[in-house]
């Protein structure tokens, strides 16, 4: 057996001896599969070498995408803060006009979701993510100069088109670098920016509104102007700091590049390369997958609450504390998001340690349900404010869990780009529903909106529990298959294209 990089390779086992090319370097190359027919890795790694590499990836990869996503979410949700500062009044919005402006964003978001993620694979995340970040920064800046409902709808449509590729693109990007068990926590490190955007966005908005003007901009226009310029600056920097894939990472040694590629490849059953060429069969199976579709439906339900909180928390806080000043109302929106951020990281860390996702998705539902029960049951300001904490506690955590689960439910890179894109597309259908969940006629208690969110959380509990039971049943069925006879007569290309239908594949709850 070749001895290249042997310090990162532990005792090889009989399988590696039999396949002499399957050392660390061989497993990183195209043309070599890194698993046997049962999906077991043919390569074992030194845990200490993996830990050092993982730490390096965490320092070099995660901060850039996290900061980009932070301002992506701020640029999406700052319209809620602008509403408190006179956005509706200045644009002459009445009745359901505000909901229309919100929903037009999701029309383009949904339409461009899957195409954006396929473009991300084709162009490469290192260029694609900074480019769309620049686009939504410019779009956010443009919102500062709108004067009519039509103009606001137009700029929000463009913003949605650029932001469509952000969450699925980053999720897909991180799957190029991390193992299945590691991915949930790394996804949480950028998705936690959603609740932090709510907290930081409120603080930033309150600080901006203390200014007399910013150039020719006043009041709510300063929020879009200043935050848009910050996003533009960060996106330009990311063109130089975001590394596309391990092979192009100048900050990794050749030994570390081989280890980074081989680690990911060791979990991709029967795949001869980590970054495969797009294939129609793999694209279809990335979408037509029972776990991907059920998880995507759960994510749709979850986003009714996540996006509803983002857009309407300032409004809800305003109804709880109507006598507070605008800046005080902005500041009251911050604490629930901070608590939500803590739980995002905590639940995702547990998912990493146990290499489980669905069971944690099941666990997110009860607290959200309790929060909306309190919203519906009480008129007391303190109780309703506490309910906002309960709703934020677990609802944001489902983002990294759902994206990690769809990533774990497929095998190839091509299927993964489709699966994650599909998941986030469904999620933003939930966002579209959220824009019409809190209507002016339903205020100030918003019983319909809160009832919709209670129903969504209840369905999450039912569907995710059902998914957990089905995966257990199907794994038992697969255990009774004779893998060798099932694969008999197939070529390597045909075996690769089986994806999750490979008899050796097992669902990982």
């Amino acid at each position: 057996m070749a001895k290249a990089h042997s310090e990162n390779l532990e005792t090889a086992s009989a399988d590696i001896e039999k396949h002499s090319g399957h050392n660390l370097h061989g497993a990183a190359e195209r043309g070599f599969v890194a698993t046997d027919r049962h999906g077991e890795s043919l390569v074992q790694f030194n845990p200490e070498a993996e830990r050092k590499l993982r730490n390096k990836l965490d320092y070099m990869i995660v901060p850039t995408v996290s900061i980009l996503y932070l301002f992506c979410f701020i640029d999406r949700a700052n319209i809620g803060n602008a509403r408190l500062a006179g956005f509706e009044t200045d644009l002459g919005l009445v009745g359901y006009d505000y909901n229309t402006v919100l929903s037009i964003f999701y029309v383009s978001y949904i339409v461009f979701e899957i195409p954006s993620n396929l473009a991300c694979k084709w162009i490469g995340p290192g260029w694609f993510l900074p480019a769309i970040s620049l686009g939504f920064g410019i779009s956010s800046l443009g919102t500062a100069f709108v004067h009519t409902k039509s103009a606001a709808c137009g700029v929000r449509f463009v913003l949605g088109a650029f932001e469509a590729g952000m969450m699925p693109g980053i999720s897909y990007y991180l799957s190029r670098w991390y193992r299945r068990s590691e991915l949930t926590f790394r996804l949480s490190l950028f998705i936690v920016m959603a609740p932090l955007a709510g907290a930081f966005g409120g603080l930033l908005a309150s600080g901006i509104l203390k200014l007399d003007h910013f150039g020719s901009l006043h009041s709510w226009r300063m929020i879009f102007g200043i935050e848009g310029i910050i996003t533009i600056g960060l996106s330009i920097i990311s063109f130089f700091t975001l590394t596309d894939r391990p092979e192009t990472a100048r900050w990794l040694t050749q030994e570390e590049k081989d280890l980074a590629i081989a680690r990911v490849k060791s979990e991709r059953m029967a795949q001869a390369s980590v970054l495969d060429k797009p294939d129609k069969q793999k694209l279809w199976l990335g979408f037509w997958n029972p776990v991907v579709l059920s998880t995507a439906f759960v994510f749709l339900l979850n986003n009714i609450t996540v996006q509803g909180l983002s857009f309407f928390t300032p409004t809800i806080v305003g109804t709880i504390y109507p006598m507070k000043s605008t800046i005080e109302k902005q500041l009251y929106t911050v604490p629930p998001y901070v608590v939500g951020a803590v739980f995002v990281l905590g639940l995702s860390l547990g998912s990493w340690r146990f290499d489980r996702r669905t069971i944690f998705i099941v666990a997110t539902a009860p607290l959200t349900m309790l929060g909306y029960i309190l919203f519906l049951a009480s008129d007391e300001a303190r109780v309703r404010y506490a309910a906002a904490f309960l709703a934020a506690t677990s609802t944001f955590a489902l983002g990294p869990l759902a994206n990690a689960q769809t990533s774990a439910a497929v095998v190839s890179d091509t299927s993964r780009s489709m699966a994650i894109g599909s998941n986030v597309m469904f999620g933003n259908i939930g966002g579209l529903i959220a824009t019409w969940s809190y209507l002016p006629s339903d205020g100030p208690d918003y019983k319909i909106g809160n009832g919709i969110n209670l129903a969504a959380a209840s369905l999450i509990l039912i569907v995710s529990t059902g998914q957990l039971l089905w995966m257990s049943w199907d794994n038992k069925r697969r255990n009774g298959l004779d893998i060798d006879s099932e694969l008999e007569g197939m070529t390597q290309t045909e075996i690769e294209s089986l994806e999750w239908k490979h008899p050796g594949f097992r669902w990982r709850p």
Side-chain angles (χ1 to χ4, degrees), residues 164-239:
M166 204 63 192
M167 176 187 268
I170 295 176
S171 301
Y172 163 69
Y173 174 60
L174 292 179
S175 74
R176 288 185 168 190
W177 299 85
Y178 291 102
R179 284 180 177 271
R180 180 190 66 247
S181 61
E182 301 164 351
L183 186 59
T184 308
F185 184 65
R186 274 69 195 181
L187 291 178
S188 77
L189 293 176
F190 90 84
I191 293 177
V192 72
M193 295 301 167
L196 288 181
F200 182 62
L203 290 171
L204 187 57
S206 63
I208 290 172
L209 290 174
K210 290 180 180 179
L211 300 174
D212 291 330
H213 64 90
F214 178 72
S216 62
L217 303 177
H218 295 80
S219 186
W220 59 268
R221 297 182 186 275
M222 294 189 298
I223 297 175
F224 291 108
I226 292 174
E227 292 176 358
I229 288 172
I230 293 172
T231 303
I232 290 169
L234 290 171
S235 65
I236 292 173
I237 294 171
S238 68
F239 274 106

Side-chain angles (χ1 to χ4, degrees), residues 237-250:
I237 294 171
S238 68
F239 274 106
F240 302 96
T241 60
L242 199 63
T243 305
D244 190 69
R245 58 191 184 279
E247 296 95 316
T248 61
R250 297 179 180 178

Side-chain angles (χ1 to χ4, degrees), residues 41-289:
S41 175
L42 296 175
V43 185
Q44 294 179 324
F45 306 100
N46 185 311
E48 181 62 19
E50 280 201 272
R51 184 190 65 79
K52 289 180 179 178
L53 174 66
R54 190 167 52 239
N55 289 342
K56 200 168 187 178
L57 299 181
D58 290 343
Y59 295 139
M60 299 300 294
I61 296 296
V62 176
T64 298
V65 294
S66 297
I67 293 172
L68 285 179
Y69 191 71
L70 170 66
F71 279 88
C72 164
F73 210 88
I74 286 176
D75 288 345
R76 176 197 306 186
N78 56 13
I79 193 170
N81 300 108
R83 187 187 194 187
L84 283 180
F87 175 81
E88 282 182 294
T89 302
D90 289 353
L91 267 60
L93 303 183
V94 295
Y96 301 133
D97 286 348
Y98 178 72
N99 301 81
T100 301
V101 173
L102 291 183
S103 62
I104 198 70
F105 167 88
Y106 284 100
V107 173
S108 58
Y109 207 124
I110 292 166
V111 169
F112 289 100
E113 196 78 65
I114 292 177
S116 287
N117 221 37
L118 298 182
C120 183
K121 175 177 172 58
W122 179 58
I123 297 170
W127 290 99
F128 185 78
L129 294 175
I132 60 174
S133 301
L134 179 61
F136 68 69
I138 294 172
S139 300
S140 181
L141 176 61
T143 312
F145 298 95
V146 302
H147 293 277
T148 66
K149 173 189 170 184
S150 297
C153 286
V155 77
R156 291 289 292 182
F157 182 89
V158 175
L159 184 69
F162 281 118
E163 285 202 28
M166 204 63 192
M167 176 187 268
I170 295 176
S171 301
Y172 163 69
Y173 174 60
L174 292 179
S175 74
R176 288 185 168 190
W177 299 85
Y178 291 102
R179 284 180 177 271
R180 180 190 66 247
S181 61
E182 301 164 351
L183 186 59
T184 308
F185 184 65
R186 274 69 195 181
L187 291 178
S188 77
L189 293 176
F190 90 84
I191 293 177
V192 72
M193 295 301 167
L196 288 181
F200 182 62
L203 290 171
L204 187 57
S206 63
I208 290 172
L209 290 174
K210 290 180 180 179
L211 300 174
D212 291 330
H213 64 90
F214 178 72
S216 62
L217 303 177
H218 295 80
S219 186
W220 59 268
R221 297 182 186 275
M222 294 189 298
I223 297 175
F224 291 108
I226 292 174
E227 292 176 358
I229 288 172
I230 293 172
T231 303
I232 290 169
L234 290 171
S235 65
I236 292 173
I237 294 171
S238 68
F239 274 106
F240 302 96
T241 60
L242 199 63
T243 305
D244 190 69
R245 58 191 184 279
E247 296 95 316
T248 61
R250 297 179 180 178
W251 39 272
L252 290 178
T253 65
Q254 186 58 51
E255 178 184 342
E256 290 170 330
K257 291 177 183 179
D258 287 341
L259 178 58
I261 297 167
R263 279 174 9 105
V264 173
K265 196 174 182 180
S266 70
E267 294 185 330
R268 299 197 176 176
M269 177 179 290
Q271 301 298 304
S273 61
V274 173
L275 301 181
D276 59 333
K277 293 181 179 180
D279 175 280
K280 289 182 180 179
Q281 175 72 0
K282 290 180 179 179
L283 286 172
W284 172 244
L285 292 177
F287 173 79
W288 194 248
N289 177 313

